[in-house]
């Protein structure tokens, strides 16, 4: 079996890393991973035939077939993580790690946009933020990079701890703590503890922590950890945004609907492409990090103003006389409530919500969907359309809502009932893929 050091020497001969035979590039390293319903070892020969330089495998029988190009390890996933950790230790530029229940990807994109005004910045591509995605992100870094922004996602405790041990961030922030992945985390306190593992790593290793001083939960989490580590010699650098002692917010939110407009510290007004106070909080994080790394106010504002999402997150789309807020990449009780309140406050002639199930809530699913129904009822939209098996729990508060257990029925109904001069909010968990509704509006 090859050691991590031997594997790294082979990695340096390669042009990249792939775990998918549909994405093999010449001279890449193919990593065979196992899942509940697949075994990547079975595709090693195919990857090599498609011009992968090496195949990392953990099946001795597969390795025997091509001993020169098949690199045998005890476990493919562990080897991938160890390889990424080893590669991470070969460079010394700043690595910004971020996690949170909501807004991770948008905040990551905003931070990268701001930092790119001054530095060669590499950021997590798409949603590669888990125990496989973070290693792949790190293995994409090279000597041309001056800064890296690494998004870290988790659906159970100890996962952020693992990702920190691999990415070894020098700086970091938590966007927020909310009701996401309750089933895996074991409730909201489990979420708090799991996300807090990033603070644990940064504080214990004397790194830099960015904290939203207006978020009571994040401030409490920081104080708890500061109290626990006060006697230790390693104390993290802490940057509060806005400054904890500031009486007034230097960056003022002027408008949150249909898009955020803010006034910066130089009294310039900045119009963005993103809606909602929650996205304003994401912007504040990016501006604070940009300021810390010496990006000018003007350049940071330009980056924020120019950022236009194309990833089913907070997209404002015009369809004829209709306006659609497409936020269909994911949903949990916290993000759903924020989006609904935001949409309810948005001026519009006619407002319609199309909402899908929130996944991974476990035993809390019935109660959380019912609570969502009450919030929707209180918001008094012109039309409510619900889809998914658990959304029926919301119907107790919504006797006039249209409910569809599947998307096929939903699509047909929308086609048969065209609407004009209407503003729509479309939101649901990733498994619902509610962006498929867009062509029918």
């Amino acid at each position: 079996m090859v050691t991590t050091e031997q594997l790294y020497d082979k990695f340096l001969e390669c042009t990249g890393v792939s775990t998918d035979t549909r994405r093999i590039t010449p001279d890449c390293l193919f990593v065979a991973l196992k899942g509940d319903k697949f075994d990547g070892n079975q595709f090693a020969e195919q990857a090599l035939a498609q011009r992968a330089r090496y195949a990392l495998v953990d099946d001795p029988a597969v390795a025997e077939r091509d001993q020169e190009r098949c690199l045998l390890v005890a476990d493919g996933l562990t080897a991938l993580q160890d390889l990424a950790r080893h590669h991470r230790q070969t460079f010394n530029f700043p690595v910004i790690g971020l996690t949170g229940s909501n807004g991770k990807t948008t905040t990551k994109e905003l931070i990268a946009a701001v930092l790119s005004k001054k530095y060669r910045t590499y950021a997590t591509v798409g949603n590669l933020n888990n125990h496989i995605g973070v290693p792949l992100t790190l293995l994409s870094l090279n000597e041309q990079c001056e800064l890296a922004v690494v998004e870290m996602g988790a659906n159970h405790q100890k996962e952020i701890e693992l990702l920190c041990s691999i990415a070894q961030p020098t700086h970091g922030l938590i966007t927020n703590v909310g009701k996401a992945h309750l089933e895996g985390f074991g409730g909201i306190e489990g979420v708090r503890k799991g996300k807090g593992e990033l603070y644990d790593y940064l504080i214990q290793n004397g790194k830099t922590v960015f904290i939203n001083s207006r978020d009571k939960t994040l401030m409490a989490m920081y104080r708890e950890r500061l109290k626990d580590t006060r006697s230790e010699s390693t104390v993290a650098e802490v940057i509060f945004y806005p400054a904890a002692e500031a009486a007034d917010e230097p960056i003022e939110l002027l408008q949150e609907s249909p898009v955020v407009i803010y006034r910066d510290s130089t009294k310039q007004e900045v119009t963005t492409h993103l809606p909602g106070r929650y996205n304003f909080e994401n912007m504040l994080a990016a501006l604070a990090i940009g300021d810390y790394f010496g990006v000018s106010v003007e350049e940071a504002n330009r980056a924020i103003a120019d950022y236009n999402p194309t990833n089913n997150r907070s997209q404002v789309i015009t369809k004829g006389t209709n306006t659609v807020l497409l936020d269909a990449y994911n949903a949990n009780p916290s993000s759903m409530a924020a989006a609904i309140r935001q949409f309810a406050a948005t001026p519009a002639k006619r407002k319609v919500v199309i909402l899908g199930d929130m996944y991974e809530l476990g035993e809390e699913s019935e109660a959380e969907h019912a609570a969502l129904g009450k919030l929707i009822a209180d918001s008094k939209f012109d039309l409510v359309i619900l889809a998914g098996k658990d959304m029926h729990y919301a119907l107790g508060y919504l006797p006039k809502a249209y409910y569809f257990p599947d998307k096929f029925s939903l699509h047909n109904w929308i086609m048969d009932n065209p609407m004009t001069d209407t503003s729509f909010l479309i939101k649901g968990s990733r498994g619902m893929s509610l962006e498929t509704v867009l062509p029918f509006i």
Side-chain angles (χ1 to χ4, degrees):
M1 291 190 182
V2 298
T3 65
T4 299
E5 290 73 18
Q6 291 170 331
L7 177 58
Y8 191 66
D9 288 340
K10 299 295 187 182
F11 163 74
L12 293 178
E13 298 177 22
C14 298
T15 56
V17 179
S18 177
T19 61
D20 189 338
T21 53
R22 295 168 297 182
R23 294 178 174 83
I24 296 296
T25 56
D27 287 325
C28 74
L29 170 65
F30 172 71
V31 178
L33 299 177
K34 294 176 181 175
D36 295 335
K37 298 181 180 179
F38 66 90
D39 182 355
N41 290 285
Q42 299 175 359
F43 300 96
E45 288 184 89
Q46 178 183 338
L48 293 171
Q50 292 174 214
R51 297 179 60 194
R53 191 176 187 91
Y54 297 106
L56 178 67
V57 300
D58 53 18
D59 184 336
V62 173
E64 278 293 321
R65 297 172 197 155
D66 191 335
Q67 296 184 24
E68 183 176 338
R69 294 194 296 165
C70 284
L71 309 174
L72 181 63
V73 294
D75 180 82
L77 175 59
T78 300
L80 174 66
Q81 294 169 343
D82 290 343
L83 177 64
R85 185 182 292 107
H86 186 90
H87 183 55
R88 163 66 182 93
Q89 294 169 345
T90 65
F91 50 77
N92 57 13
F93 51 77
V95 174
I96 301 167
L98 75 152
T99 190
S101 297
N102 301 306
K104 292 186 296 295
T105 299
T106 299
T107 304
K108 176 257 299 183
E109 295 286 339
L110 291 170
I111 291 171
V114 169
L115 293 176
S116 293
K117 292 295 184 180
K118 185 174 181 178
Y119 304 95
R120 292 189 296 273
T121 303
Y122 186 88
T124 299
V125 175
N127 201 36
L128 289 175
N129 64 10
N130 64 4
H131 60 295
I132 298 171
V134 167
L136 293 176
T137 295
L138 294 170
L139 291 170
S140 297
L141 300 174
N142 57 43
E143 64 277 2
Q144 302 300 316
C145 298
E146 296 178 315
L147 268 166
V149 186
V150 179
E151 180 182 337
M152 301 179 185
N155 57 18
H156 59 268
Q157 294 182 42
K158 298 297 183 182
E159 191 166 8
I160 296 298
E161 180 182 290
L162 169 66
L163 298 181
C164 284
S165 76
I166 299 171
Q168 300 172 20
T170 57
H171 304 73
L173 78 151
I174 301 173
T175 57
N176 48 60
V177 173
K179 294 180 179 180
H181 306 294
L182 294 180
E183 185 175 24
F185 278 110
I188 188 64
E189 282 304 313
V191 178
R192 195 174 186 268
K193 184 175 180 181
K195 298 301 183 183
E197 290 163 12
L198 177 58
Y199 282 173
D200 293 335
Y201 177 88
L202 295 167
I203 292 173
Q204 291 167 10
N205 289 278
K207 306 303 181 182
T208 300
V209 185
F210 295 89
I211 300 177
N212 184 342
S213 62
R214 297 188 300 198
D215 189 309
K216 294 180 181 179
T217 299
L218 297 181
M219 289 296 289
M221 290 168 61
Y222 164 67
R223 292 191 189 100
E224 290 163 6
R225 286 158 175 79
L226 184 64
K227 183 178 180 181
D228 291 341
T229 60
R230 192 167 291 164
S231 61
E232 298 181 12
S233 58
T234 55
V235 179
E237 177 187 22
V238 181
I239 308 297
F240 295 103
Y241 65 94
E245 67 277 5
D248 298 307
E249 167 56 54
I251 303 176
E252 181 184 0
L253 177 60
L254 301 179
Q255 173 187 296
E256 55 185 276
S257 299
V259 295
V260 168
I261 299 176
Y262 67 86
R263 181 182 292 121
D264 73 2
S265 55
T266 66
K267 305 304 179 184
Q268 297 296 310
E269 291 188 11
V270 180
T271 300
T272 75
H273 294 283
L274 293 170
R277 182 176 294 273
Y278 49 91
N279 274 316
F280 177 60
E281 298 293 325
N282 299 336
M283 295 171 197
L284 289 177
L287 292 169
I289 290 175
D291 179 66
Y292 178 88
F293 282 101
V295 179
S296 71
V297 173
E298 294 77 12
E299 290 286 271
N301 284 336
R302 187 174 298 114
I304 299 292
D306 288 345
Y307 175 71
N308 200 350
T310 57
N311 52 14
N312 296 327
R313 292 178 171 91
S314 297
Q315 287 182 251
V316 179
I317 301 169
T318 300
K319 296 273 292 183
T321 62
N322 296 325
T323 301
V324 180
L325 172 53
L326 180 63
D327 197 5
Y329 190 85
N330 219 334
N332 57 57
S334 300
S335 67
M336 192 74 94
I340 288 170
R341 291 190 181 102
Q342 170 63 38
F343 189 60
T346 301
K349 181 178 179 180
R350 185 170 186 264
K351 287 187 276 192
V352 174
V353 292
I354 303 175
L355 306 176
D357 278 353
M358 301 178 290
Y359 287 12
E360 297 185 54
L361 296 180
E363 295 179 354
E364 301 297 321
S365 187
E366 180 176 350
E368 292 295 346
H369 282 88
L372 182 67
K374 186 176 188 306
L375 176 61
I376 297 168
D378 292 343
S379 301
K380 302 185 187 306
F381 297 116
D382 295 288
L383 182 62
V384 176
I385 303 171
L386 306 177
K389 67 180 183 65
D390 283 2
M391 270 297 175
H392 79 271
Y393 294 125
L395 294 176
Y397 293 97
L398 299 164
K400 295 183 179 181
Y402 287 87
Y403 170 70
F404 303 93
D406 60 82
K407 286 195 304 177
F408 179 75
S409 302
L410 171 64
H411 292 170
N412 284 337
W413 188 89
I414 294 174
M415 282 192 292
D416 291 340
N417 296 271
M419 289 172 261
T420 58
D421 299 310
T422 300
S423 291
F424 294 85
L425 167 65
I426 301 176
K427 188 169 179 63
S429 280
R430 182 84 301 266
M432 291 298 297
S433 301
L434 282 186
E435 67 274 11
T436 59
V437 171
L438 198 60
F440 305 106
I441 290 177

